Amino acid sequence: MLDGRTFALIGGVLILLGAATAIVQILERRANSAVDPAILENLRQRVRVWWFLTTPLAAAFLMADVPGFATWVTVGLFWLLSFWALREFITLTPTRPGDHRALFWVFSLLTPAQYLLVGLNWYDLYSILIPVYAFLLIPARIAMSGDSKRFLERTAKIEAGLLITVYALSYAPALLNLNLPVPPERLFSSRVRLLFFFVVIVQLSDVLQYAWAQLPSKHPIVPTISPAKTWEGLLGGSASVTLIGAVLWWATPFPYWLAGAMSLMIAFMGFAGSLTMSAIKRDRGVKDYGTLIEGHGGVLDRIDTICFAAPIFFHFTQYYLSITHVAP
């Protein structure tokens, strides 16, 4: 059963999304708006993506009265995101016939197995399934096809996609497995708040970095990869989200200063994820990974920040719980 603080967090986010949607629509209808139409369109699409990511999670959490159901629904939602993101990643570059059997096992066995183990809370297995067993199985299976042309490149692409879109992302729903320092009757509700806190901070960091990057004085960090990512955006957005995270400390097991520090870490890891995926797109000569979300690219374009931040946030939280004498 969700407690009042969890309802307040989820409800507050949904109310803010509704307000943001209304504000953007009002500004779009005002012909004399001082806001750049391109910026307004970008914000409109970002708010749409927020709805896309937040609404299913909120719906799953509100089903908490059914034992275990909300957890499995949440795990299933992230599995679907992983499946689609991995598909986008793999289709970005052509594969050879020799890769198809390996890809069959990646999509039909390894990806669902990772999320099944997360749902069962078998940490000792889901923490090593992909980086150990899958990373040995994939090159061996491709080698069995007898096709050695660009073997290392093809293997690396599949393994990189599996690592980022499946293994790393699976650590987001894995937050629902952490044993937090609360009474048993409040455990699930506290886990929900922690996961929701993480998703909200990641998305806020993304939009705040974009907003700060619109300052007239711009200093791109890596202009050859992503000219829109500036020092002003990174530092301003990270500082802003650190303050927000500290204010939302009550949604986490951390004191306010550590909640802010965790938010700062999430902001930097999200930036690293976005920059890394932009580099891959530059390498392949494409603008977006897909078109599932109309007008705003594919799923991977919107969850790249979550992919890079999730495992770091999970392990930092697990370590904090271990040193405060809470079993991981």
Side-chain angles (χ1 to χ4, degrees):
M1 180 68 180
L2 300 183
D3 58 22
R5 289 191 296 174
T6 307
F7 277 114
L9 179 62
I10 295 175
V13 170
L14 295 177
I15 290 172
L16 286 175
L17 278 177
T21 302
I23 291 172
V24 170
Q25 289 179 347
I26 291 172
L27 290 175
E28 284 181 330
R29 292 171 183 174
R30 291 179 58 182
N32 60 345
S33 174
V35 182
D36 186 336
I39 296 176
L40 199 59
E41 174 62 16
N42 189 287
L43 291 175
R44 183 179 71 83
Q45 296 295 348
R46 287 176 184 273
V47 170
R48 178 180 295 181
V49 172
W50 272 46
W51 281 113
F52 177 82
L53 293 175
T54 305
T55 305
L57 275 180
F61 295 154
L62 293 175
M63 300 174 185
D65 287 337
V66 183
F69 184 71
T71 298
W72 281 107
V73 170
T74 303
V75 169
L77 288 173
F78 278 95
W79 168 69
L80 290 174
L81 287 175
S82 278
F83 183 90
W84 201 273
L86 180 60
R87 178 182 177 275
E88 291 176 348
F89 190 98
I90 296 300
T91 55
L92 192 62
T93 56
T95 57
R96 294 176 62 81
D99 304 332
H100 293 173
R101 290 293 180 88
L103 287 172
F104 172 79
W105 292 115
V106 164
F107 281 98
S108 65
L109 176 63
L110 293 172
T111 298
Q114 176 70 15
Y115 280 93
L116 176 63
L117 294 174
V118 168
L120 294 172
N121 193 18
W122 290 0
Y123 175 79
D124 289 344
L125 286 179
Y126 74 70
S127 63
I128 63 172
L129 174 66
I130 288 175
V132 177
Y133 298 105
F135 275 28
L136 295 175
L137 171 65
I138 291 170
R141 187 62 191 85
I142 294 177
M144 289 180 63
S145 70
D147 184 358
S148 62
K149 187 174 183 180
R150 300 195 307 276
F151 175 83
L152 187 59
E153 174 189 340
R154 290 154 47 207
T155 302
K157 183 187 73 169
I158 295 173
E159 291 188 342
L162 189 62
L163 179 71
I164 294 171
T165 64
V166 179
Y167 181 74
L169 186 61
S170 71
Y171 276 95
L175 292 170
L176 296 177
N177 296 330
L178 293 174
N179 289 328
L180 305 179
V182 296
E185 64 273 12
R186 293 167 48 196
L187 181 59
F188 180 74
S189 190
S190 298
R191 289 169 169 173
V192 167
R193 284 201 306 274
L194 183 62
L195 175 55
F196 218 75
F197 169 86
F198 168 71
V199 173
V200 167
I201 293 298
V202 170
Q203 295 301 313
L204 275 177
S205 174
D206 188 33
V207 73
L208 287 172
Q209 287 183 23
Y210 173 78
W212 277 93
Q214 305 312 310
L215 291 175
S217 176
K218 298 181 181 181
H219 298 84
I221 299 175
V222 191
T224 55
I225 291 180
S226 183
K229 299 186 187 304
T230 67
W231 284 109
E232 291 81 3
L234 175 60
L235 298 178
S238 299
S240 300
V241 85
T242 298
L243 294 175
I244 295 172
V247 171
L248 293 176
W249 66 271
W250 51 269
T252 76
F254 316 123
Y256 73 92
W257 63 268
L258 187 53
M262 286 288 199
S263 300
L264 179 63
M265 179 271 295
I266 289 172
F268 276 102
M269 290 309 303
F271 170 82
S274 181
L275 185 66
T276 300
M277 304 315 289
S278 292
I280 294 174
K281 287 188 289 186
R282 287 276 182 178
D283 176 64
R284 305 317 307 170
V286 298
K287 181 179 181 294
D288 297 313
Y289 279 100
T291 57
L292 181 65
I293 304 173
E294 182 183 355
H296 215 55
V299 168
L300 190 51
D301 292 292
R302 296 275 49 91
I303 66 170
D304 50 8
T305 52
I306 299 178
C307 290
F308 271 64
I312 307 301
F313 181 71
F314 176 92
H315 285 112
F316 270 54
T317 303
Q318 187 182 63
Y319 178 70
Y320 170 77
L321 296 175
S322 69
I323 64 175
T324 53
H325 307 293
V326 178

